[in-house]
Amino acid sequence: MTSHKNKPQKNRPRKSKPQKDKLWGGRFSASTDAFVEQFTQSVSYDQRLYHYDILGSIAHVRMLAKVGVLSREESAQIIEGLESIEADIARGNFEWETALEDVHMNIETALVTRIGDVGKKLHTGRSRNDQIATDIRLYLRDEVTEIQSLLMKLMSALLDLAEREAETIMPGFTHMQTAQPVTFGHHMLAWFEMLYRDSQRLADCHGRINVMPLGSAALAGTSYPIDRQYTAKLLNFPAVTNNSLDAVSDRDFAIEFSSCAALIMMHLSRFSEELVLWMSQQFGFIDLGDAWCTGSSIMPQKKNPDIPELVRGKTARVYGHLMGLLTLMKSQPLAYNRDNQEDKESLFDVIDTIKGCLHAYTGLVPEIVVNKERMRSAAMQGFTTATDLADYLVRKNIAFRDAHAVVGQSVQYAIEAEKDLSELTLDELKQFSEVIEDDVFDFLSLEGSVAARTHQGGTAPEQVYQAIHTGRKRLKFVPLTED
Ligand code: ARG
């Protein structure tokens, strides 16, 4: 009979560490079941946090020495040991052991192996519960800074593209029906605004991530005379948490970050949908550089917009992780529960996905090649300047409702004549209203239509240039960015 290697088996020879060798092994006599060891481990993925784990440990030990719980000599030895472990991990020279469960116990065990009994003092006045909460916050705050920089780069690429195509006319849509002409630059600026709000949200979320739980210990705090403010200063945390029970169990910050990420993905999925549509033969508005597309294994003629499609698709996993994290925390009693170990893989995947997608879009946006003629001719269809004709009549003292009716009749006539409104003669137009004069054609042209919308937020090229200018200034004040 064959057995699956992951299946728990009875009487399997145990290769796992005897409990007494484990950091928490004192009260155990029997060894951990090998399946249980596999099932409970997190080191296969939380090893990603090693740098932050060591950073936190070093600050903790410094603080213990400052308050006299450890001697200067002990703290120096521990720090040296931790630094050598960090260097080895960075070089790929470190054996992670599943039997040691997680990143914390792997590092602590290695420390004791390297520096002897003094290493056992590292965990004084601390628990893995406040340790992991600190690690995730340290890690996430760096990732948020990096994501913020990626967002910045993408916003800046959108401004450049908007500038390049500030005067390019395309049809604007409502209900996916041709509505009014807009400039392509204006459309890119709409995307810019979405991302700008995302960057504000991230910065705000960063403030709540950037609070130090260390010192909360297992749940109740510690009886050692710790100096939390000092540790926080060493770790560059502007604040410490106010309640130990909350601090070890809180994962709001991860949920909040994931919701920011979900919004970013939602925006990217909207961009993606438009790019996919625009690249279709039916629209033909844009092309993407060959390096940013892929082909079909069966249809030789195909050039597919896979990048936007994948970004659109990856939105699903970020939404899923957000829901997963919310559900993970639902109904959890205070304080720490092992459930919380399940936060990491979701959070890590949210981070990897969002970074990948932002990176993809930053590369893709400059590769967008606009087919101006195609967009222009699409904007000519569907009587996109009908509202401009109505506005023209209003300016000639016709009430808007009456003007609306006049334009409706003109459109009906133009449909039958198979012409655009701008292609009707003055006589043809005059049938519907005597007030129409030769100057009407300035308003019926696509250029006239967009040029008339010069107010803040409008689509006129003049306004688009202005918005790009202020957009570049606004980018200088996006908080947290590294560049
Ligand atoms: N691996 C654990 C986690 O990710 C670390 C904290 C474990 N604490 C404990 N009491 N078992 O949450």
Side-chain angles (χ1 to χ4, degrees), residues 330-381:
K330 178 185 176 291
S331 315
Q332 262 201 50
L334 287 170
Y336 176 86
N337 300 287
R338 191 63 178 269
D339 312 42
N340 284 8
Q341 181 163 299
E342 287 290 309
D343 62 353
K344 279 161 222 58
E345 284 167 297
S346 294
L347 183 63
F348 294 165
D349 193 57
V350 168
I351 289 167
D352 293 344
T353 306
I354 200 103
K355 279 162 70 178
C357 293
L358 287 171
H359 187 79
Y361 257 88
T362 309
L364 185 83
V365 164
E367 296 286 325
I368 297 175
V369 179
V370 169
N371 186 337
K372 294 189 208 293
E373 294 69 42
R374 199 57 195 257
M375 283 194 188
R376 198 174 195 292
S377 67
M380 287 293 285
Q381 289 157 23

Short mmCIF file of all heavy atoms in Angstrom, two decimals, residues 330-381:
data_model
loop_
_atom_site.label_atom_id
_atom_site.label_comp_id
_atom_site.label_asym_id
_atom_site.label_seq_id
_atom_site.Cartn_x
_atom_site.Cartn_y
_atom_site.Cartn_z
N LYS A 330 -12.02 37.54 13.03
CA LYS A 330 -13.41 37.59 13.50
C LYS A 330 -13.59 36.72 14.75
O LYS A 330 -13.16 35.59 14.79
CB LYS A 330 -14.35 37.09 12.40
CG LYS A 330 -15.79 37.05 12.84
CD LYS A 330 -16.69 36.44 11.79
CE LYS A 330 -18.10 36.34 12.30
NZ LYS A 330 -18.24 35.34 13.37
N SER A 331 -14.18 37.30 15.76
CA SER A 331 -14.55 36.59 17.00
C SER A 331 -13.37 36.11 17.83
O SER A 331 -13.55 35.31 18.74
CB SER A 331 -15.45 35.38 16.72
OG SER A 331 -16.45 35.68 15.81
N GLN A 332 -12.15 36.51 17.49
CA GLN A 332 -11.02 36.05 18.31
C GLN A 332 -11.06 36.68 19.69
O GLN A 332 -11.04 37.90 19.83
CB GLN A 332 -9.70 36.44 17.64
CG GLN A 332 -9.08 35.33 16.85
CD GLN A 332 -7.58 35.56 16.66
OE1 GLN A 332 -6.85 35.84 17.61
NE2 GLN A 332 -7.13 35.44 15.43
N PRO A 333 -11.07 35.84 20.71
CA PRO A 333 -11.03 36.40 22.06
C PRO A 333 -9.62 36.94 22.35
O PRO A 333 -8.66 36.51 21.73
CB PRO A 333 -11.33 35.20 22.96
CG PRO A 333 -10.87 34.02 22.16
CD PRO A 333 -11.08 34.38 20.71
N LEU A 334 -9.51 37.83 23.31
CA LEU A 334 -8.20 38.32 23.73
C LEU A 334 -7.48 37.18 24.44
O LEU A 334 -8.12 36.34 25.05
CB LEU A 334 -8.34 39.51 24.69
CG LEU A 334 -8.78 40.83 24.05
CD1 LEU A 334 -9.11 41.85 25.16
CD2 LEU A 334 -7.68 41.39 23.15
N ALA A 335 -6.18 37.04 24.44
CA ALA A 335 -5.31 37.98 23.75
C ALA A 335 -4.75 37.25 22.52
O ALA A 335 -5.49 36.97 21.61
CB ALA A 335 -4.21 38.45 24.67
N TYR A 336 -3.47 36.86 22.57
CA TYR A 336 -2.90 36.16 21.41
C TYR A 336 -3.50 34.76 21.27
O TYR A 336 -3.68 34.03 22.23
CB TYR A 336 -1.37 36.04 21.56
CG TYR A 336 -0.76 35.23 20.42
CD1 TYR A 336 -0.42 35.85 19.22
CD2 TYR A 336 -0.58 33.85 20.52
CE1 TYR A 336 0.10 35.11 18.17
CE2 TYR A 336 -0.07 33.11 19.47
CZ TYR A 336 0.27 33.74 18.29
OH TYR A 336 0.77 33.02 17.24
N ASN A 337 -3.80 34.38 20.04
CA ASN A 337 -4.20 33.01 19.70
C ASN A 337 -3.34 32.56 18.53
O ASN A 337 -2.97 33.38 17.68
CB ASN A 337 -5.68 32.94 19.32
CG ASN A 337 -6.57 33.42 20.45
OD1 ASN A 337 -6.73 32.74 21.45
ND2 ASN A 337 -7.12 34.61 20.30
N ARG A 338 -3.13 31.27 18.47
CA ARG A 338 -2.25 30.75 17.42
C ARG A 338 -2.82 31.01 16.03
O ARG A 338 -2.10 30.99 15.03
CB ARG A 338 -2.00 29.26 17.64
CG ARG A 338 -0.89 28.66 16.77
CD ARG A 338 0.46 29.29 17.08
NE ARG A 338 1.53 28.69 16.29
CZ ARG A 338 2.26 27.65 16.66
NH1 ARG A 338 2.06 27.09 17.85
NH2 ARG A 338 3.18 27.15 15.87
N ASP A 339 -4.13 31.23 15.97
CA ASP A 339 -4.76 31.59 14.69
C ASP A 339 -3.92 32.65 13.96
O ASP A 339 -3.79 32.64 12.74
CB ASP A 339 -6.14 32.23 14.89
CG ASP A 339 -7.06 31.48 15.83
OD1 ASP A 339 -6.58 31.00 16.88
OD2 ASP A 339 -8.25 31.38 15.51
N ASN A 340 -3.37 33.55 14.76
CA ASN A 340 -2.69 34.71 14.17
C ASN A 340 -1.48 34.35 13.31
O ASN A 340 -1.04 35.16 12.50
CB ASN A 340 -2.26 35.69 15.27
CG ASN A 340 -3.44 36.47 15.78
OD1 ASN A 340 -4.58 36.17 15.41
ND2 ASN A 340 -3.21 37.46 16.61
N GLN A 341 -0.99 33.17 13.51
CA GLN A 341 0.13 32.72 12.67
C GLN A 341 -0.31 32.70 11.20
O GLN A 341 0.51 32.83 10.30
CB GLN A 341 0.57 31.33 13.11
CG GLN A 341 1.72 30.77 12.32
CD GLN A 341 2.38 29.60 13.06
OE1 GLN A 341 2.89 29.77 14.16
NE2 GLN A 341 2.34 28.42 12.47
N GLU A 342 -1.61 32.54 11.00
CA GLU A 342 -2.16 32.46 9.64
C GLU A 342 -2.22 33.82 8.94
O GLU A 342 -2.71 33.92 7.82
CB GLU A 342 -3.55 31.83 9.68
CG GLU A 342 -3.53 30.33 9.96
CD GLU A 342 -2.97 29.51 8.80
OE1 GLU A 342 -3.44 29.70 7.67
OE2 GLU A 342 -2.05 28.70 9.02
N ASP A 343 -1.81 34.87 9.60
CA ASP A 343 -1.87 36.19 8.95
C ASP A 343 -0.78 36.36 7.89
O ASP A 343 -0.93 37.11 6.95
CB ASP A 343 -1.75 37.32 10.00
CG ASP A 343 -0.41 37.29 10.76
OD1 ASP A 343 0.37 36.33 10.58
OD2 ASP A 343 -0.16 38.22 11.55
N LYS A 344 0.33 35.61 8.09
CA LYS A 344 1.53 35.95 7.32
C LYS A 344 1.45 35.65 5.83
O LYS A 344 1.79 36.50 5.00
CB LYS A 344 2.74 35.27 7.94
CG LYS A 344 3.26 36.05 9.11
CD LYS A 344 4.13 35.22 9.99
CE LYS A 344 3.83 35.48 11.44
NZ LYS A 344 2.45 35.25 11.88
N GLU A 345 1.04 34.44 5.49
CA GLU A 345 1.08 34.10 4.07
C GLU A 345 0.17 35.02 3.25
O GLU A 345 0.51 35.40 2.13
CB GLU A 345 0.73 32.63 3.87
CG GLU A 345 1.91 31.75 4.25
CD GLU A 345 1.54 30.29 4.37
OE1 GLU A 345 0.72 29.97 5.25
OE2 GLU A 345 2.05 29.49 3.57
N SER A 346 -0.97 35.38 3.84
CA SER A 346 -1.87 36.31 3.14
C SER A 346 -1.19 37.66 2.97
O SER A 346 -1.15 38.21 1.88
CB SER A 346 -3.16 36.52 3.94
OG SER A 346 -3.89 35.35 4.00
N LEU A 347 -0.68 38.15 4.08
CA LEU A 347 -0.06 39.47 4.04
C LEU A 347 1.11 39.50 3.05
O LEU A 347 1.26 40.43 2.25
CB LEU A 347 0.42 39.85 5.45
CG LEU A 347 1.02 41.23 5.60
CD1 LEU A 347 -0.01 42.32 5.29
CD2 LEU A 347 1.56 41.44 7.01
N PHE A 348 1.94 38.47 3.10
CA PHE A 348 3.10 38.42 2.20
C PHE A 348 2.63 38.40 0.74
O PHE A 348 3.22 39.05 -0.12
CB PHE A 348 3.96 37.18 2.47
CG PHE A 348 4.63 37.17 3.83
CD1 PHE A 348 5.18 36.00 4.34
CD2 PHE A 348 4.73 38.33 4.59
CE1 PHE A 348 5.81 35.99 5.59
CE2 PHE A 348 5.35 38.33 5.83
CZ PHE A 348 5.89 37.15 6.34
N ASP A 349 1.60 37.64 0.48
CA ASP A 349 1.14 37.55 -0.91
C ASP A 349 0.52 38.87 -1.38
O ASP A 349 0.68 39.25 -2.54
CB ASP A 349 0.14 36.39 -1.08
CG ASP A 349 -0.10 36.09 -2.55
OD1 ASP A 349 0.88 35.82 -3.26
OD2 ASP A 349 -1.26 36.19 -3.01
N VAL A 350 -0.16 39.56 -0.47
CA VAL A 350 -0.69 40.88 -0.82
C VAL A 350 0.48 41.79 -1.22
O VAL A 350 0.45 42.46 -2.26
CB VAL A 350 -1.47 41.51 0.36
CG1 VAL A 350 -1.77 42.98 0.10
CG2 VAL A 350 -2.76 40.76 0.61
N ILE A 351 1.53 41.76 -0.42
CA ILE A 351 2.68 42.63 -0.68
C ILE A 351 3.36 42.26 -2.00
O ILE A 351 3.62 43.13 -2.84
CB ILE A 351 3.68 42.55 0.51
CG1 ILE A 351 3.07 43.26 1.72
CG2 ILE A 351 5.02 43.16 0.14
CD1 ILE A 351 3.78 43.00 3.02
N ASP A 352 3.60 40.97 -2.19
CA ASP A 352 4.27 40.55 -3.43
C ASP A 352 3.42 40.89 -4.65
O ASP A 352 3.94 41.33 -5.68
CB ASP A 352 4.53 39.04 -3.42
CG ASP A 352 5.54 38.66 -2.34
OD1 ASP A 352 6.25 39.56 -1.84
OD2 ASP A 352 5.62 37.46 -2.00
N THR A 353 2.12 40.68 -4.52
CA THR A 353 1.24 40.91 -5.66
C THR A 353 1.19 42.39 -6.00
O THR A 353 1.33 42.79 -7.17
CB THR A 353 -0.18 40.39 -5.35
OG1 THR A 353 -0.08 39.02 -4.97
CG2 THR A 353 -1.09 40.51 -6.56
N ILE A 354 1.01 43.21 -5.00
CA ILE A 354 0.86 44.64 -5.26
C ILE A 354 2.16 45.22 -5.82
O ILE A 354 2.15 46.02 -6.75
CB ILE A 354 0.38 45.37 -3.99
CG1 ILE A 354 -0.23 46.71 -4.34
CG2 ILE A 354 1.44 45.61 -2.96
CD1 ILE A 354 -1.68 46.68 -4.29
N LYS A 355 3.28 44.77 -5.29
CA LYS A 355 4.56 45.27 -5.81
C LYS A 355 4.76 44.83 -7.26
O LYS A 355 5.18 45.62 -8.11
CB LYS A 355 5.72 44.79 -4.93
CG LYS A 355 5.88 45.64 -3.68
CD LYS A 355 6.70 45.00 -2.59
CE LYS A 355 8.16 44.89 -2.89
NZ LYS A 355 8.89 44.28 -1.74
N GLY A 356 4.45 43.59 -7.53
CA GLY A 356 4.59 43.08 -8.90
C GLY A 356 3.72 43.86 -9.87
O GLY A 356 4.16 44.26 -10.97
N CYS A 357 2.48 44.11 -9.46
CA CYS A 357 1.54 44.79 -10.37
C CYS A 357 1.94 46.25 -10.58
O CYS A 357 1.84 46.77 -11.70
CB CYS A 357 0.11 44.70 -9.82
SG CYS A 357 -0.52 43.01 -9.85
N LEU A 358 2.38 46.90 -9.51
CA LEU A 358 2.79 48.30 -9.67
C LEU A 358 4.04 48.39 -10.55
O LEU A 358 4.16 49.27 -11.40
CB LEU A 358 3.06 48.96 -8.30
CG LEU A 358 1.82 49.26 -7.48
CD1 LEU A 358 2.19 49.70 -6.07
CD2 LEU A 358 0.96 50.34 -8.15
N HIS A 359 4.92 47.45 -10.36
CA HIS A 359 6.13 47.40 -11.17
C HIS A 359 5.74 47.19 -12.65
O HIS A 359 6.24 47.88 -13.55
CB HIS A 359 7.02 46.26 -10.67
CG HIS A 359 8.34 46.23 -11.33
ND1 HIS A 359 9.36 47.08 -10.98
CD2 HIS A 359 8.81 45.47 -12.36
CE1 HIS A 359 10.40 46.84 -11.75
NE2 HIS A 359 10.09 45.87 -12.60
N ALA A 360 4.83 46.27 -12.87
CA ALA A 360 4.39 45.98 -14.25
C ALA A 360 3.80 47.23 -14.89
O ALA A 360 4.13 47.58 -16.03
CB ALA A 360 3.35 44.85 -14.24
N TYR A 361 2.96 47.92 -14.15
CA TYR A 361 2.32 49.11 -14.74
C TYR A 361 3.30 50.26 -14.97
O TYR A 361 3.16 51.02 -15.92
CB TYR A 361 1.11 49.54 -13.89
CG TYR A 361 -0.16 49.10 -14.57
CD1 TYR A 361 -0.71 47.85 -14.34
CD2 TYR A 361 -0.75 49.91 -15.53
CE1 TYR A 361 -1.83 47.43 -15.02
CE2 TYR A 361 -1.88 49.50 -16.22
CZ TYR A 361 -2.40 48.26 -15.96
OH TYR A 361 -3.51 47.84 -16.65
N THR A 362 4.27 50.36 -14.09
CA THR A 362 5.27 51.42 -14.27
C THR A 362 6.04 51.19 -15.57
O THR A 362 6.38 52.14 -16.28
CB THR A 362 6.24 51.47 -13.07
OG1 THR A 362 5.45 51.52 -11.89
CG2 THR A 362 7.14 52.67 -13.11
N GLY A 363 6.29 49.93 -15.89
CA GLY A 363 6.96 49.62 -17.14
C GLY A 363 6.04 49.74 -18.34
O GLY A 363 6.47 50.12 -19.44
N LEU A 364 4.79 49.42 -18.13
CA LEU A 364 3.84 49.35 -19.24
C LEU A 364 3.38 50.73 -19.73
O LEU A 364 3.24 50.95 -20.94
CB LEU A 364 2.62 48.55 -18.75
CG LEU A 364 1.55 48.25 -19.78
CD1 LEU A 364 1.96 47.01 -20.56
CD2 LEU A 364 0.21 47.99 -19.10
N VAL A 365 3.16 51.63 -18.80
CA VAL A 365 2.57 52.93 -19.16
C VAL A 365 3.38 53.68 -20.24
O VAL A 365 2.79 54.14 -21.22
CB VAL A 365 2.30 53.79 -17.90
CG1 VAL A 365 2.07 55.26 -18.23
CG2 VAL A 365 1.10 53.23 -17.15
N PRO A 366 4.70 53.75 -20.12
CA PRO A 366 5.44 54.45 -21.19
C PRO A 366 5.39 53.71 -22.52
O PRO A 366 5.72 54.28 -23.56
CB PRO A 366 6.89 54.48 -20.66
CG PRO A 366 6.80 54.18 -19.20
CD PRO A 366 5.58 53.34 -19.01
N GLU A 367 4.97 52.45 -22.50
CA GLU A 367 4.89 51.64 -23.72
C GLU A 367 3.56 51.79 -24.45
O GLU A 367 3.33 51.14 -25.45
CB GLU A 367 5.06 50.15 -23.37
CG GLU A 367 6.41 49.79 -22.79
CD GLU A 367 7.50 49.78 -23.85
OE1 GLU A 367 7.23 49.40 -24.99
OE2 GLU A 367 8.63 50.18 -23.50
N ILE A 368 2.68 52.61 -23.92
CA ILE A 368 1.37 52.77 -24.55
C ILE A 368 1.52 53.66 -25.78
O ILE A 368 1.96 54.81 -25.69
CB ILE A 368 0.35 53.39 -23.56
CG1 ILE A 368 0.13 52.42 -22.39
CG2 ILE A 368 -0.96 53.73 -24.25
CD1 ILE A 368 -0.78 52.96 -21.28
N VAL A 369 1.20 53.08 -26.94
CA VAL A 369 1.28 53.84 -28.19
C VAL A 369 -0.15 54.18 -28.60
O VAL A 369 -0.99 53.31 -28.75
CB VAL A 369 1.95 53.00 -29.29
CG1 VAL A 369 2.01 53.77 -30.60
CG2 VAL A 369 3.33 52.54 -28.85
N VAL A 370 -0.39 55.47 -28.73
CA VAL A 370 -1.76 55.93 -28.99
C VAL A 370 -2.01 56.08 -30.49
O VAL A 370 -1.20 56.65 -31.21
CB VAL A 370 -1.97 57.28 -28.25
CG1 VAL A 370 -3.24 57.95 -28.68
CG2 VAL A 370 -1.96 57.04 -26.75
N ASN A 371 -3.13 55.53 -30.94
CA ASN A 371 -3.54 55.70 -32.34
C ASN A 371 -4.51 56.88 -32.41
O ASN A 371 -5.72 56.74 -32.24
CB ASN A 371 -4.19 54.40 -32.83
CG ASN A 371 -4.50 54.46 -34.32
OD1 ASN A 371 -4.63 55.55 -34.90
ND2 ASN A 371 -4.63 53.29 -34.93
N LYS A 372 -3.93 58.06 -32.67
CA LYS A 372 -4.73 59.30 -32.60
C LYS A 372 -5.88 59.31 -33.61
O LYS A 372 -6.98 59.76 -33.30
CB LYS A 372 -3.84 60.52 -32.88
CG LYS A 372 -2.77 60.78 -31.83
CD LYS A 372 -2.12 62.13 -32.14
CE LYS A 372 -0.70 62.26 -31.67
NZ LYS A 372 -0.39 62.29 -30.30
N GLU A 373 -5.60 58.84 -34.84
CA GLU A 373 -6.63 58.88 -35.89
C GLU A 373 -7.83 58.04 -35.50
O GLU A 373 -8.97 58.43 -35.66
CB GLU A 373 -6.08 58.37 -37.23
CG GLU A 373 -4.99 59.23 -37.86
CD GLU A 373 -3.68 59.20 -37.08
OE1 GLU A 373 -3.29 58.09 -36.64
OE2 GLU A 373 -3.08 60.28 -36.86
N ARG A 374 -7.51 56.85 -34.97
CA ARG A 374 -8.56 55.93 -34.60
C ARG A 374 -9.44 56.51 -33.48
O ARG A 374 -10.66 56.43 -33.51
CB ARG A 374 -7.88 54.65 -34.16
CG ARG A 374 -8.68 53.40 -34.15
CD ARG A 374 -9.30 53.03 -35.46
NE ARG A 374 -10.31 52.03 -35.19
CZ ARG A 374 -10.15 50.74 -35.41
NH1 ARG A 374 -9.09 50.29 -36.00
NH2 ARG A 374 -11.11 49.89 -35.09
N MET A 375 -8.77 57.13 -32.52
CA MET A 375 -9.53 57.72 -31.41
C MET A 375 -10.39 58.88 -31.90
O MET A 375 -11.53 59.05 -31.50
CB MET A 375 -8.57 58.24 -30.34
CG MET A 375 -7.99 57.17 -29.48
SD MET A 375 -7.23 57.95 -28.05
CE MET A 375 -6.42 56.57 -27.33
N ARG A 376 -9.79 59.67 -32.79
CA ARG A 376 -10.50 60.83 -33.30
C ARG A 376 -11.75 60.39 -34.07
O ARG A 376 -12.84 60.91 -33.87
CB ARG A 376 -9.58 61.64 -34.21
CG ARG A 376 -10.08 63.03 -34.43
CD ARG A 376 -9.14 63.92 -35.20
NE ARG A 376 -9.59 65.29 -35.01
CZ ARG A 376 -10.72 65.77 -35.50
NH1 ARG A 376 -11.50 65.00 -36.23
NH2 ARG A 376 -11.09 67.02 -35.27
N SER A 377 -11.57 59.39 -34.93
CA SER A 377 -12.74 58.99 -35.72
C SER A 377 -13.80 58.33 -34.83
O SER A 377 -14.99 58.47 -35.07
CB SER A 377 -12.35 58.12 -36.92
OG SER A 377 -11.85 56.90 -36.47
N ALA A 378 -13.36 57.68 -33.76
CA ALA A 378 -14.36 57.12 -32.82
C ALA A 378 -15.10 58.24 -32.11
O ALA A 378 -16.30 58.13 -31.83
CB ALA A 378 -13.67 56.22 -31.81
N ALA A 379 -14.37 59.34 -31.83
CA ALA A 379 -15.02 60.47 -31.15
C ALA A 379 -16.00 61.19 -32.07
O ALA A 379 -16.90 61.89 -31.61
CB ALA A 379 -13.96 61.43 -30.62
N MET A 380 -15.81 61.00 -33.37
CA MET A 380 -16.72 61.64 -34.35
C MET A 380 -18.05 60.90 -34.42
O MET A 380 -19.03 61.43 -34.91
CB MET A 380 -16.09 61.62 -35.75
CG MET A 380 -14.94 62.58 -35.97
SD MET A 380 -15.45 64.29 -35.91
CE MET A 380 -16.28 64.47 -37.49
N GLN A 381 -18.03 59.65 -33.98
CA GLN A 381 -19.27 58.88 -34.03
C GLN A 381 -20.08 59.11 -32.75
O GLN A 381 -19.51 59.33 -31.69
CB GLN A 381 -18.96 57.39 -34.15
CG GLN A 381 -18.42 57.02 -35.51
CD GLN A 381 -17.62 55.73 -35.47
OE1 GLN A 381 -17.80 54.91 -34.59
NE2 GLN A 381 -16.72 55.58 -36.42
#
